[in-house]
Amino acid sequence: MIARFVPALAAVSPALRAALAPLIDQHDFAGWLSAAQVKQLMQAGGVDEDALCFMLLPFAAAYAVTPLSHFDVGAIARGISGNLYFGANMEFVAAPLQQTVHAEQSAIAHAWLRGEKRLRALTVNYTPCGHCRQFMNELNSGTDLIICLPERPAATLGSYLPDAFGPRDLAIHSLLLDDIDQPFAAAAWLDHGLSASSPADNDPLLGAALAAASRSHAPYSQSHSGVALQGQDGRIYAGRYAENAAFNPSLPPLQAALILMNAAGVDNRQIKRAVLAERQNASITQWPATCATLAALGCHEVHHLSLSL
Ligand SMILES: [Zn+2]
């Protein structure tokens, strides 16, 4: 059994354990469940989706990386596809606290990166902080998103965030999880001297970073960006920038990629190399913060790919 799940699995009913164990005790389990698997688990456990999600919260929280707070939060993003996506909070030693990922952001970015088009609900084990309420208000589900907390009636995001400020106040109509595809091209290499060797043009890591940037959500700054990480085993994890109407709750592209890597059960300190792709001459840049956080994680081979329209 995968070690992170042992305590959570011991706590569920024998029937649910028997159905869940074969799904999650896989080397390639990536922290999400398909609609068919969810249905199977509901039948096995004799529970509805709300109850199942509460039972699954400890499995999501098992992904928490909390060397600073030791306070593990788990969240489950529930897509219109019926799929469930696990998320957990992630903290980074030797990086500023602003680089922290909250569990709700983790679950939502996870859903987005796996192609989910809209969320119905989010189940989380602690009440969402103000930062996360604002982050969720960027979603195309708007204030109708249902928030489910243990031992409380389900309620809309609107009830958790009354008198909300959001994208519509800035006349922005492209919302998080909407399908976007910007036609970027790799324009040039910027030599930042961090790496002795330049990757080849056909390097899949470049393509992954470019594709992530082209589908990033940056309606406020138009500074689209994406990060692709390669683990020690060669696998690639690409994350897109998710901008927010209130700016500060924006999720940087590196964090999105780290979320996907963590969901795959891979330690974020096992990054071999990274590529940040971002728009040329954009009004903001992810470069210094990306390099600093990657350095804190022990990754020093970082390339910068400049994109043009
Ligand atoms: Zn939060």
Side-chain angles (χ1 to χ4, degrees):
M1 173 53 61
I2 291 171
R4 73 171 75 227
F5 297 135
V6 171
L9 207 59
V12 297
S13 70
L16 185 62
R17 189 182 313 142
L20 189 57
L23 302 180
I24 64 171
D25 192 20
Q26 300 284 340
H27 178 64
D28 60 353
F29 178 67
W32 68 282
L33 294 163
S34 70
Q37 291 171 329
V38 171
K39 205 170 166 186
Q40 182 192 336
L41 292 173
M42 288 194 292
Q43 283 169 353
V47 290
D48 63 13
E49 191 188 295
D50 283 346
L52 177 69
C53 287
F54 286 128
M55 289 173 183
L56 291 174
L57 274 180
F59 296 87
Y63 285 92
V65 182
T66 55
L68 302 174
S69 70
H70 307 289
F71 185 78
D72 295 355
V73 186
I76 298 175
R78 300 159 62 176
I80 50 163
S81 66
N83 296 352
L84 302 180
Y85 306 90
F86 293 1
N89 54 335
M90 298 161 67
E91 301 163 355
F92 307 105
V93 171
L97 287 182
Q98 283 79 1
Q99 299 296 303
T100 304
V101 174
H102 294 220
E104 296 90 327
Q105 290 182 300
S106 169
I108 290 165
H110 189 186
W112 186 39
L113 296 172
R114 295 210 187 275
E116 191 65 49
K117 302 295 181 204
R118 198 180 184 92
L119 298 184
R120 292 172 291 129
L122 186 121
T123 300
V124 58
N125 57 356
Y126 295 101
T127 189
C129 74
H131 174 90
C132 287
R133 294 177 196 204
Q134 187 67 50
F135 182 80
M136 291 189 277
N137 197 35
E138 193 73 21
L139 286 164
N140 58 5
S141 38
T143 49
D144 293 337
L145 181 76
I146 303 293
I147 308 289
C148 299
L149 283 157
E151 293 164 27
R152 280 193 220 181
T156 62
L157 175 62
S159 71
Y160 280 97
L161 192 67
D163 201 14
F165 172 82
R168 289 166 190 86
D169 296 304
L170 297 172
I172 294 295
H173 301 289
S174 162
L175 302 171
L176 189 58
L177 262 68
D178 279 348
D179 227 353
I180 359 167
D181 207 354
Q182 297 275 344
F184 291 119
W189 282 101
L190 301 184
D191 179 12
H192 285 274
L194 272 183
S195 172
S197 61
S198 283
D201 287 345
N202 60 357
D203 186 335
L205 204 59
L206 305 188
L210 170 60
S214 72
R215 302 192 67 191
S216 63
H217 175 73
Y220 307 98
S221 71
Q222 300 298 321
S223 302
H224 298 269
S225 61
V227 163
L229 307 172
Q230 189 161 38
Q232 298 294 345
D233 64 358
R235 282 196 284 168
I236 290 173
Y237 310 91
R240 309 172 199 147
Y241 177 39
E243 213 160 61
N244 187 277
F247 285 16
N248 295 72
S250 299
L251 186 73
L254 172 62
Q255 271 69 359
L258 292 170
I259 287 165
L260 210 52
M261 188 177 191
N262 188 49
V266 183
D267 191 329
N268 285 157
R269 292 166 299 181
Q270 299 295 315
I271 301 166
K272 195 171 154 194
R273 60 197 189 104
V275 172
L276 165 68
E278 61 181 352
R279 242 183 110 172
Q280 201 170 30
N281 303 321
S283 53
I284 61 166
T285 175
Q286 304 291 336
W287 179 247
T290 301
C291 291
T293 302
L294 281 168
L297 290 165
C299 171
H300 301 281
E301 187 178 341
V302 191
H303 305 279
H304 188 282
L305 181 59
S306 181
L307 306 177
S308 64
L309 280 170

